mmCIF file of all heavy atoms in Angstrom:
data_model
loop_
_atom_site.group_PDB
_atom_site.id
_atom_site.type_symbol
_atom_site.label_atom_id
_atom_site.label_comp_id
_atom_site.label_asym_id
_atom_site.label_seq_id
_atom_site.Cartn_x
_atom_site.Cartn_y
_atom_site.Cartn_z
ATOM 1 N N ILE B 346 150.142 147.223 187.941
ATOM 2 C CA ILE B 346 150.559 145.856 187.616
ATOM 3 C C ILE B 346 150.387 145.039 188.897
ATOM 4 O O ILE B 346 150.978 145.350 189.933
ATOM 5 C CB ILE B 346 152.014 145.771 187.136
ATOM 6 C CG1 ILE B 346 152.285 146.767 186.020
ATOM 7 C CG2 ILE B 346 152.316 144.349 186.659
ATOM 8 C CD1 ILE B 346 153.751 146.845 185.588
ATOM 9 N N GLN B 347 149.586 144.004 188.808
ATOM 10 C CA GLN B 347 149.377 143.133 189.971
ATOM 11 C C GLN B 347 150.279 141.916 189.861
ATOM 12 O O GLN B 347 150.600 141.457 188.764
ATOM 13 C CB GLN B 347 147.910 142.691 190.036
ATOM 14 C CG GLN B 347 146.950 143.853 190.258
ATOM 15 C CD GLN B 347 145.515 143.384 190.365
ATOM 16 O OE1 GLN B 347 145.095 142.455 189.695
ATOM 17 N NE2 GLN B 347 144.743 144.033 191.231
ATOM 18 N N ARG B 348 150.683 141.408 191.021
ATOM 19 C CA ARG B 348 151.491 140.176 191.094
ATOM 20 C C ARG B 348 152.656 140.258 190.093
ATOM 21 O O ARG B 348 152.785 139.446 189.179
ATOM 22 C CB ARG B 348 150.618 138.953 190.800
ATOM 23 C CG ARG B 348 149.411 138.848 191.720
ATOM 24 C CD ARG B 348 148.569 137.609 191.412
ATOM 25 N NE ARG B 348 148.112 137.536 190.044
ATOM 26 C CZ ARG B 348 147.105 138.219 189.534
ATOM 27 N NH1 ARG B 348 146.427 139.046 190.305
ATOM 28 N NH2 ARG B 348 146.758 138.077 188.264
ATOM 29 N N THR B 349 153.492 141.255 190.275
ATOM 30 C CA THR B 349 154.569 141.510 189.314
ATOM 31 C C THR B 349 155.452 140.287 189.115
ATOM 32 O O THR B 349 155.684 139.481 190.022
ATOM 33 C CB THR B 349 155.457 142.678 189.761
ATOM 34 O OG1 THR B 349 155.877 142.467 191.125
ATOM 35 C CG2 THR B 349 154.722 143.997 189.642
ATOM 36 N N GLU B 350 155.969 140.174 187.890
ATOM 37 C CA GLU B 350 156.892 139.104 187.503
ATOM 38 C C GLU B 350 158.181 139.759 187.013
ATOM 39 O O GLU B 350 158.189 140.931 186.625
ATOM 40 C CB GLU B 350 156.267 138.266 186.384
ATOM 41 C CG GLU B 350 154.939 137.638 186.770
ATOM 42 C CD GLU B 350 154.269 136.954 185.583
ATOM 43 O OE1 GLU B 350 154.789 137.035 184.449
ATOM 44 O OE2 GLU B 350 153.196 136.341 185.808
ATOM 45 N N GLN B 351 159.258 138.982 186.994
ATOM 46 C CA GLN B 351 160.531 139.551 186.557
ATOM 47 C C GLN B 351 160.454 140.049 185.113
ATOM 48 O O GLN B 351 161.093 141.041 184.746
ATOM 49 C CB GLN B 351 161.648 138.524 186.721
ATOM 50 C CG GLN B 351 162.016 138.316 188.183
ATOM 51 C CD GLN B 351 163.180 137.362 188.359
ATOM 52 O OE1 GLN B 351 163.345 136.412 187.596
ATOM 53 N NE2 GLN B 351 163.991 137.609 189.383
ATOM 54 N N GLY B 352 159.648 139.423 184.321
ATOM 55 C CA GLY B 352 159.489 139.848 182.930
ATOM 56 C C GLY B 352 158.794 141.192 182.782
ATOM 57 O O GLY B 352 158.762 141.750 181.680
ATOM 58 N N ASP B 353 158.239 141.713 183.869
ATOM 59 C CA ASP B 353 157.604 143.032 183.816
ATOM 60 C C ASP B 353 158.647 144.152 183.924
ATOM 61 O O ASP B 353 158.313 145.325 183.717
ATOM 62 C CB ASP B 353 156.596 143.199 184.963
ATOM 63 C CG ASP B 353 155.445 142.216 184.878
ATOM 64 O OD1 ASP B 353 155.093 141.797 183.749
ATOM 65 O OD2 ASP B 353 154.893 141.859 185.940
ATOM 66 N N SER B 354 159.873 143.813 184.246
ATOM 67 C CA SER B 354 160.928 144.826 184.371
ATOM 68 C C SER B 354 161.107 145.534 183.038
ATOM 69 O O SER B 354 161.364 144.891 182.010
ATOM 70 C CB SER B 354 162.242 144.175 184.799
ATOM 71 O OG SER B 354 162.130 143.623 186.090
ATOM 72 N N ALA B 355 160.958 146.839 183.043
ATOM 73 C CA ALA B 355 160.992 147.629 181.816
ATOM 74 C C ALA B 355 160.844 149.099 182.185
ATOM 75 O O ALA B 355 160.607 149.448 183.338
ATOM 76 C CB ALA B 355 159.860 147.232 180.871
ATOM 77 N N MET B 356 160.972 149.951 181.166
ATOM 78 C CA MET B 356 160.642 151.367 181.313
ATOM 79 C C MET B 356 159.205 151.536 180.827
ATOM 80 O O MET B 356 158.876 151.117 179.707
ATOM 81 C CB MET B 356 161.588 152.214 180.462
ATOM 82 C CG MET B 356 161.228 153.687 180.422
ATOM 83 S SD MET B 356 161.749 154.541 181.898
ATOM 84 C CE MET B 356 163.458 154.880 181.470
ATOM 85 N N TYR B 357 158.358 152.123 181.643
ATOM 86 C CA TYR B 357 156.964 152.369 181.261
ATOM 87 C C TYR B 357 156.834 153.845 180.913
ATOM 88 O O TYR B 357 157.041 154.724 181.751
ATOM 89 C CB TYR B 357 156.020 151.940 182.376
ATOM 90 C CG TYR B 357 155.992 150.434 182.488
ATOM 91 C CD1 TYR B 357 156.953 149.757 183.243
ATOM 92 C CD2 TYR B 357 155.058 149.677 181.793
ATOM 93 C CE1 TYR B 357 156.975 148.381 183.306
ATOM 94 C CE2 TYR B 357 155.064 148.288 181.856
ATOM 95 C CZ TYR B 357 156.028 147.651 182.598
ATOM 96 O OH TYR B 357 156.057 146.276 182.649
ATOM 97 N N LEU B 358 156.505 154.087 179.661
ATOM 98 C CA LEU B 358 156.459 155.453 179.142
ATOM 99 C C LEU B 358 155.020 155.887 178.935
ATOM 100 O O LEU B 358 154.210 155.143 178.388
ATOM 101 C CB LEU B 358 157.186 155.531 177.797
ATOM 102 C CG LEU B 358 158.692 155.307 177.828
ATOM 103 C CD1 LEU B 358 159.217 155.020 176.427
ATOM 104 C CD2 LEU B 358 159.409 156.517 178.398
ATOM 105 N N CYS B 359 154.727 157.082 179.355
ATOM 106 C CA CYS B 359 153.426 157.694 179.112
ATOM 107 C C CYS B 359 153.619 158.780 178.064
ATOM 108 O O CYS B 359 154.679 159.436 178.008
ATOM 109 C CB CYS B 359 152.894 158.278 180.405
ATOM 110 S SG CYS B 359 151.313 159.134 180.236
ATOM 111 N N ALA B 360 152.629 158.967 177.228
ATOM 112 C CA ALA B 360 152.694 160.014 176.213
ATOM 113 C C ALA B 360 151.311 160.616 176.042
ATOM 114 O O ALA B 360 150.300 159.975 176.363
ATOM 115 C CB ALA B 360 153.190 159.444 174.886
#
Side-chain angles (χ1 to χ4, degrees):
Chain B
I346 309 174
Q347 296 182 324
R348 304 181 304 282
T349 51
E350 301 173 356
Q351 287 183 326
D353 297 331
S354 295
M356 173 79 84
Y357 289 85
L358 293 164
C359 178

